[in-house]
Amino acid sequence: MKTRLNMYKGSCLCGAITFEIEGSLEAPDACHCTQCRKWTGHFLASTEVPRSALKVHCPERVSWFYSSDKVRRGFCSTCGTSLFFEPIDKEKHDWIGVSMGVFDTPTDTQLALHIFVGEKGDYYEITDELPQNEY
């Protein structure tokens, strides 16, 4: 008997880019670093999935911004939706981060922790009881 894997679907704001993830999703984290805040307009909640689990439709519409020598950030070239976050060194890291806000189907997961809280904006407080990592 073949085991059925979970299938998650998502898209950008304008619908030019859609994607599917087969498998399970790791509990997401919320990154409050300056780069994520500037990229999204707030903080970034994302989950990591194996690259092989992600199928992007219209990948030519994904534009990549190399925000450092270690990571790049993928967004829709039409509407600007923040979609993906991935390490450049694919030999060491076989995952890609997917923004939680772009899922169209339920994710069956909950936020697990906050990271880079030392860089969070001064206009909000983190009031849940999840673990907080300074960096």
Side-chain angles (χ1 to χ4, degrees):
M1 175 183 261
K2 193 173 184 178
T3 304
R4 183 186 164 316
L5 294 174
N6 293 333
M7 181 67 71
Y8 301 94
K9 295 181 179 188
S11 61
C12 64
L13 179 62
C14 71
I17 300 168
T18 61
F19 65 87
E20 298 172 343
I21 296 171
E22 190 171 12
S24 59
L25 299 179
E26 287 187 22
D29 61 46
C31 183
H32 300 266
C33 80
T34 301
Q35 286 189 7
C36 282
R37 288 188 301 111
K38 288 183 180 276
W39 185 47
T40 65
H42 195 34
F43 60 84
L44 174 67
S46 65
T47 185
E48 296 173 3
V49 300
R51 282 190 182 91
S52 61
L54 175 67
K55 180 179 181 183
V56 178
H57 303 280
C58 293
E60 68 279 1
R61 294 263 181 117
V62 178
S63 290
W64 293 96
F65 173 68
Y66 289 76
S67 56
S68 74
D69 60 350
K70 295 182 181 178
V71 299
R72 67 183 191 160
R73 298 164 188 270
F75 59 95
C76 176
S77 61
T78 302
C79 66
T81 298
S82 303
L83 296 163
F84 309 117
F85 173 92
E86 91 176 329
I88 294 170
D89 187 350
K90 295 177 183 178
E91 298 285 321
K92 287 185 180 177
H93 307 283
D94 184 31
W95 59 268
I96 186 167
V98 181
S99 298
M100 295 305 295
V102 298
F103 283 93
D104 296 329
T105 56
T107 60
D108 304 317
T109 190
Q110 294 287 314
L111 196 63
L113 76 148
H114 297 272
I115 60 174
F116 290 93
V117 298
E119 296 181 28
K120 79 170 203 55
D122 65 352
Y123 60 92
Y124 65 95
E125 295 299 323
I126 301 171
T127 58
D128 59 33
E129 296 184 17
L130 295 175
Q132 297 182 25
N133 293 349
E134 191 71 13
Y135 296 100

